[in-house]
Amino acid sequence: MQAEILDFVKRRNPNEPEFIQAAEEVILSVLPVLEKHPEFRKLKILERMLEPERLISFRVTWLDDKGEVQLNRGYRVQMNSAIGPYKGGLRFHPSVTPSVLKFLAFEQIFKNALTGIPMGGGKGGSDFDPKGKSENEIMKFCQAFMSELTRHLGHRLDVPAGDIGVGGREVGYMFGAYKKIKNEFTGVFTGKGIGWGGSLIRTEATGYGLIYFAENMLHTKNESIKGKTCLVSGSGNVAQYAIEKIIQLGGKPVSASDSDGFVYDAEGITLAKLEFIKDLKNNRRGRIKEYAEKYKGVVYTPIDAKAASNPLWNIKADCAFPCATQNEVNGNDAKNLVKNGVKLVGEGANMPVTIEGINVLIDNGIMYSPGKASNAGGVATSGLEMTQNYMGSNWTREEVDAKLQGIMKNIHDTCLAAANEYGKPGNYMVGANIAGFLKVANAMKAQGVI
Ligand code: NDP
């Protein structure tokens, strides 16, 4: 059955390696569910989940500061709306392709189901590269992008948010463009600014949620983050707040990276040093190398994307949190982590560990959490932002943080229970895939063949 469904996906999606990779992981995990529930097989539930309900591709034309015409591609993948409106971020990065967005939208179905908040799965973005663009160019691009995307969005239809290359600034410009075109103020984006519909803690939620999830995992072994040395990759939104929460819980984060290289700070990144990273990345839009130039004893290593392994994952640590991008930890990296005695690998990014890497970790008994479970705090808090928008009120920081902690514990326990029930105790990947699948599959079954 596995080969049959995988063949079906490969045939229908040639040249889409990222999407096939994400599909393969889920197909393998949910086979026991399909065996137990022949009705899902008969209704082709999994095959239908693997086909976007709608894939929108459009031209984005804009004028740069020199008055020259620039051309990009925009996309929105509306993957599955069985349990709620499409929900998922927008990514602006030159590596964006339909394959990347379909993998992200597919993962989003399961992630959103796990949060317990009624949200379907979607994802979108553009091959636009925000690096090196002026403020004016960023705004012009966002407005041009929204001149098409607006017609496909709605606060009960499809609600995007940020992702790589899309932070508060870009969400602001896109929300403004939407409001102007539609002449209405609704919660059509999440990740909005505080004071115009945004939720407290949304900015921090993915990174904080990741570490809350890891804390839950460690508690099952009577351990905690306190005193643990932690590797973190990335230096954007997810990495920054993962580092912050590790420090707050008494752990020691020792690394950060960007697409050029990584810094290793054996003394540990402190809250003061983290402020430097936030200013560097969020305001000055500089490179992580500057961290090593500012602080003594810090080692900077350039990353060679084509190398067989990434030396960042060869540093001795108790926990590793990849928070940059997909496929940043391969089989060799996973072997190095195991060799150095890592106890836990928690995915902050989406699909940062390759299938080979996951197998190495699981075969060696390392606690491993897939992004669709451990980075779900971001979209969960987006769900809380939507609820506050519907209600027309705002919750306090403490209220949102308490809800986030509750949701992460709930996802953790749900994954463990599903893994247990299907004979894979402690396997968070199988548990996340099965629990997410069951929720969406039951809704699809109830709603008929549509
Ligand atoms: P940001 O754009 O804020 O930061 C991304 C970071 O990753 C930057 O440090 C960036 O370096 C680095 N990076 C990006 N592409 C590459 C690459 N090809 N190779 C190496 N490094 C790279 O994005 P986020 O922090 O928001 O997102 C990071 C990951 O987390 C993504 O996988 C995203 O899908 C996932 N995620 C994000 C959520 C959110 O709420 N923001 C929610 C759930 C998941 P550089 O500065 O050089 O670009």
Side-chain angles (χ1 to χ4, degrees), residues 22-252:
E24 190 170 0
E25 182 205 295
V26 171
I27 294 168
L28 212 72
S29 297
V30 304
L31 281 181
V33 183
L34 297 179
E35 273 156 19
K36 196 167 162 188
H37 294 272
E39 74 276 18
F40 291 154
R41 198 71 201 94
K42 188 154 183 288
L43 288 167
K44 293 203 166 63
I45 294 284
L46 183 54
E47 289 88 333
R48 282 156 63 192
M49 274 185 201
L50 284 157
E51 189 67 30
E53 289 179 9
R54 195 171 296 110
L55 194 159
I56 302 146
S57 166
F58 53 97
R59 186 180 72 197
V60 187
T61 318
W62 54 284
L63 285 176
D64 68 15
D65 287 347
K66 295 191 203 106
E68 281 172 21
V69 175
Q70 296 290 335
L71 192 62
N72 288 98
R73 275 192 189 158
Y75 306 94
R76 186 72 181 163
V77 185
Q78 297 182 332
M79 200 76 189
N80 192 295
S81 61
I83 63 166
Y86 307 107
K87 181 85 196 92
L90 294 170
R91 177 176 291 192
F92 292 169
H93 194 272
S95 65
V96 163
T97 60
S99 171
V100 168
L101 296 180
K102 278 166 69 181
F103 117 64
L104 289 164
F106 182 63
E107 294 258 302
Q108 198 82 42
I109 303 174
F110 303 90
K111 184 187 309 195
N112 294 2
L114 286 169
T115 65
I117 299 171
M119 298 179 289
K123 200 84 189 188
S126 172
D127 60 357
F128 170 73
D129 188 357
K131 278 202 197 92
K133 303 290 189 299
S134 70
E135 275 294 317
N136 182 53
E137 288 174 330
I138 298 279
M139 186 173 73
K140 283 276 164 57
F141 174 79
C142 288
Q143 291 172 343
F145 182 78
M146 288 307 292
S147 69
E148 172 62 33
L149 189 63
T150 291
R151 73 187 77 208
H152 306 290
L153 304 182
H155 72 300
R156 304 266 185 198
L157 167 65
D158 186 348
V159 183
D163 191 76
I164 291 178
V166 178
R169 172 180 66 168
E170 293 75 16
V171 167
Y173 291 146
M174 287 190 277
F175 177 77
Y178 179 91
K179 185 165 66 71
K180 173 95 179 162
I181 295 167
K182 295 283 270 206
N183 198 27
E184 64 178 29
F185 194 116
T186 54
V188 75
F189 269 86
T190 58
K192 300 186 290 300
I194 306 301
W196 47 277
S199 172
L200 290 162
I201 302 279
R202 173 59 189 95
T203 310
E204 297 89 333
T206 309
Y208 279 16
L210 167 68
I211 305 306
Y212 290 147
F213 194 94
E215 193 73 328
N216 278 293
M217 292 169 83
L218 288 164
H219 284 168
T220 65
K221 310 264 184 213
N222 294 320
E223 294 198 43
S224 73
I225 286 279
K226 198 171 176 163
K228 299 258 183 320
T229 300
C230 302
L231 296 176
V232 177
S233 66
S235 50
N237 174 268
V238 181
Q240 289 172 17
Y241 291 99
I243 290 173
E244 187 162 293
K245 191 48 75 179
I246 292 169
I247 300 169
Q248 287 171 359
L249 294 181
K252 185 169 139 185

Side-chain angles (χ1 to χ4, degrees), residues 115 117 190-192 194 197-206 208-209 212 245 376-389 391 393-409:
T115 65
I117 299 171
T190 58
K192 300 186 290 300
I194 306 301
S199 172
L200 290 162
I201 302 279
R202 173 59 189 95
T203 310
E204 297 89 333
T206 309
Y208 279 16
Y212 290 147
K245 191 48 75 179
V379 74
T381 309
S382 278
L384 300 178
E385 181 174 331
M386 288 163 75
T387 308
Q388 292 169 80
N389 292 164
M391 292 176 5
S393 65
N394 300 309
W395 291 324
T396 63
R397 199 178 159 82
E398 291 70 27
E399 280 173 306
V400 181
D401 194 34
K403 286 182 202 298
L404 172 63
Q405 290 190 47
I407 290 169
M408 296 318 291
K409 171 150 183 27

